[in-house]
């Protein structure tokens, strides 16, 4: 699989499942049958979608412009077995035989696999995505990000594909060559082998980070509030900063990361996801939050030991703290840090140039 061939994330129901980082199926439209995270039956059963979102119907009045829990309902797949979309995208697991069969059968347990579409061509989704990604790149001059929906319900016998949004992932000037040397990796206090963006920056002196020794996964909403207050102070002084913390930034699920909103981090220049013993979700790859910040030129970096990344928490903790709360610290460096992101190799380093 090559980056320019794209990666799709699909889910049964409304896109909130993908936006919120819940169970979704990721695949390359060029190779729809290659699903690395679902290569074994156990992986399929573990990672398949069990819940989906739909619009709340009925006689109740649904106010507009409030939390989406008022207008949406989260349903279990097994409670919608009579509905056509569920039957179309589900395979059947038979417990006694410990096997999975692609067709939907009422005698077994439904498992959302999308095999009818990806393996058997019930709807030409991979071909449509491949063609649209190519058209979008030719028209916009760079790789594109697309949101779409497919209607498999009554009234659309052959299925209906609808483009909801199409936009460039990055500007042309971000395609410059960025070289990262072995010496830079050696002296970096943050090194990543899973980074998005493409740039060299030498104008950031402030770091806001979640203190790993004080972090409580049950209080991520409090962490978001603390970061919001520090962001307000930093933006009032027109100071761009590096944001470092565990899990997914902007996660809709507070147990998967820090649930900050854009206004909470509006002054950020780059963001780093880190590991934590009690919070190790897969890196962000599909939410509105994620794509909004990359479109704005904010670099997104994952410093995970699982992928060969490193972060020097000891060095960070020893720096002068300008302000701190129970779980968050703001440090001001004596000189600007060097941030280099090599988008072609998905690598990044952050270090102080002595």
């Amino acid at each position: 699989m090559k980056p320019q061939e794209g990666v799709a994330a699909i889910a049964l129901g409304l896109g909130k499942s993908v936006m919120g980082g819940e169970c979704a199926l990721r695949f390359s439209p060029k190779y729809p049958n290659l699903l690395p995270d679902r290569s074994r039956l156990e992986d399929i059963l573990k990672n398949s979608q069990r819940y989906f979102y739909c619009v709340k119907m009925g006689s109740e009045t649904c106010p507009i412009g409030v939390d989406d829990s008022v207008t949406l309902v989260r349903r279990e797949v097994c409670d919608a077995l009579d509905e056509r979309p569920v039957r179309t995208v589900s395979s059947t697991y038979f417990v006694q035989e410990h096997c999975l069969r692609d067709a939907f059968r009422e005698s077994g347990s439904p498992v959302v696999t999308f095999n009818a579409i990806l393996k058997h061509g019930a709807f030409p989704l991979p071909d449509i995505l491949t063609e649209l990604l190519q058209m979008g790149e030719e028209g916009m001059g760079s790789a594109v990000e697309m949101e779409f929906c497919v209607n498999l319900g009554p009234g659309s016998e052959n299925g209906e594909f609808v483009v909801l949004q199409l936009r460039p992932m990055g500007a042309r000037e971000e395609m410059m060559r960025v070289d990262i040397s072995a010496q830079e990796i050696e002296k970096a206090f943050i090194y990543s082998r899973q980074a998005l963006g493409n740039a060299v920056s030498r104008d950031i002196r402030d770091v806001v980070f979640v203190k790993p020794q004080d972090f409580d996964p049950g209080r991520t909403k409090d962490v978001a509030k603390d970061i919001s207050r520090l962001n307000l102070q930093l933006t009032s002084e027109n100071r761009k900063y590096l944001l470092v913390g565990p899990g997914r930034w902007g996660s809709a699920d507070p147990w998967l990361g820090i649930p900050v909103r854009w206004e909470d981090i509006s002054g950020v220049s780059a963001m780093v996801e880190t590991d934590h013993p009690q919070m190790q979700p897969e890196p962000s790859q599909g939410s509105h939050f994620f794509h909004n910040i990359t479109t704005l030129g904010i670099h997104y970096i994952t410093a995970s030991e699982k992928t060969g990344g490193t972060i020097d928490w000891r060095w960070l903790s020893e720096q002068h703290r300008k302000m701190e709360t129970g779980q968050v610290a703001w440090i001001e460096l004596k000189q600007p840090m060097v941030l280099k992101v090599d988008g072609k190799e998905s690598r990044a380093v952050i270090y102080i140039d002595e």
Side-chain angles (χ1 to χ4, degrees):
M1 299 181 186
K2 300 178 181 178
Q4 59 266 33
E5 292 166 345
V7 176
I10 59 175
L12 171 69
L14 296 179
K16 182 177 173 65
S17 299
V18 177
M19 291 167 53
E22 298 184 28
C23 285
L25 177 64
R26 288 176 171 80
F27 68 96
S28 168
K30 189 75 173 179
Y31 308 100
N33 291 322
L34 295 181
L35 304 175
D37 62 338
R38 304 193 181 197
S39 57
R40 302 181 305 154
L41 177 56
E42 290 73 15
D43 297 330
I44 296 174
L45 298 177
K46 177 182 177 182
N47 298 320
S48 65
Q49 186 179 356
R50 292 179 174 82
Y51 302 91
F52 67 97
Y53 292 92
C54 57
V55 177
K56 185 182 295 184
M57 306 296 287
S59 59
E60 297 181 7
T61 301
C62 294
I64 303 299
V66 296
D67 186 86
D68 58 19
S69 63
V70 178
T71 55
L72 300 183
V73 58
R74 187 172 188 250
R75 301 176 61 194
E76 290 192 43
V77 172
C78 60
D79 290 338
L81 301 185
D82 293 333
E83 299 172 27
R84 181 180 176 186
V86 174
R87 290 178 172 239
T88 302
V89 303
S90 295
S91 299
T92 306
Y93 173 63
F94 295 92
V95 180
Q96 295 83 357
E97 304 172 37
H98 188 53
C99 70
L100 188 71
R101 295 178 181 171
D102 288 345
F104 175 83
R105 296 287 186 270
E106 295 183 354
S107 56
S109 302
V111 179
V112 176
T113 61
F114 294 95
N115 282 351
I117 294 173
L118 300 184
K119 292 176 61 176
H120 303 295
F123 184 82
L125 179 62
D127 294 337
I128 293 174
L129 293 178
T130 298
E131 184 173 353
L132 285 177
L133 288 175
Q134 182 178 349
M135 291 172 60
E137 184 169 356
E138 292 174 355
M140 296 186 173
S142 69
V144 296
E145 179 257 334
M146 174 171 54
E147 295 177 12
F148 62 89
C149 66
V150 174
N151 180 14
L152 297 174
S156 300
E157 186 173 349
N158 297 320
E160 177 185 32
F161 183 96
V162 180
V163 177
L164 303 178
Q165 183 169 261
L166 183 70
R167 58 185 176 184
M169 288 289 288
R172 294 181 183 179
E173 56 267 23
E174 293 182 354
M175 298 309 292
M176 65 178 182
R177 176 169 178 160
V178 177
D179 293 319
I180 297 176
S181 67
Q183 291 78 12
E184 289 175 315
I185 295 174
E186 182 67 25
K187 62 183 177 181
F189 65 87
I190 293 179
Y191 170 59
S192 171
R193 298 184 63 181
Q194 201 165 10
L196 293 177
N198 199 76
V200 177
S201 171
R202 292 183 173 89
D203 59 354
I204 308 173
R205 292 182 56 187
D206 299 278
V207 182
V208 174
F209 68 93
V210 180
K211 297 182 286 188
Q213 69 276 13
D214 298 323
F215 175 60
D216 181 354
R219 297 178 56 206
T220 55
K221 293 182 179 180
D222 294 335
V223 174
K225 293 177 182 178
D226 290 342
I227 291 173
S228 181
R229 285 191 286 268
L230 293 178
N231 177 77
L232 184 62
Q233 177 69 26
L234 285 156
T235 53
S236 68
E237 300 177 19
N238 196 29
R239 300 170 69 155
K240 291 290 184 179
Y241 63 94
L242 175 70
L243 182 61
V244 183
R248 295 173 177 165
W249 287 109
S251 172
D253 185 342
W255 291 97
L256 294 179
I258 313 300
V260 290
R261 299 165 299 175
W262 167 244
E263 54 265 35
D264 298 324
I265 57 166
S266 56
V268 73
S269 181
M271 307 175 70
V272 180
E273 288 186 0
T274 65
D275 290 326
H276 190 276
Q278 300 180 60
M279 184 178 288
Q280 297 185 15
E282 290 299 311
S284 301
Q285 289 292 331
S287 69
H288 271 276
F289 177 92
F290 173 75
H291 286 298
N292 285 342
I293 64 169
T294 52
T295 301
L296 291 169
I298 297 170
H299 311 297
Y300 207 99
I301 299 166
T302 300
S304 170
E305 292 184 359
K306 293 184 294 185
T307 56
T310 59
I311 180 166
D312 192 342
W313 286 113
R314 184 174 182 179
W315 183 88
L316 277 174
S317 300
E318 291 174 349
Q319 304 309 303
H320 170 68
R321 299 191 181 187
K322 189 174 179 67
M323 189 180 298
E324 66 179 308
T325 65
Q327 299 188 73
V328 183
W330 166 16
I331 62 175
E332 180 184 8
L333 303 175
K334 294 180 180 180
Q335 63 187 88
M337 69 187 79
V338 178
L339 167 66
K340 299 180 75 172
V341 183
D342 178 1
K344 291 183 174 63
E345 298 293 334
S346 298
R347 298 191 303 166
V349 290
I350 306 176
Y351 63 91
I352 300 297
D353 193 351
E354 301 295 346

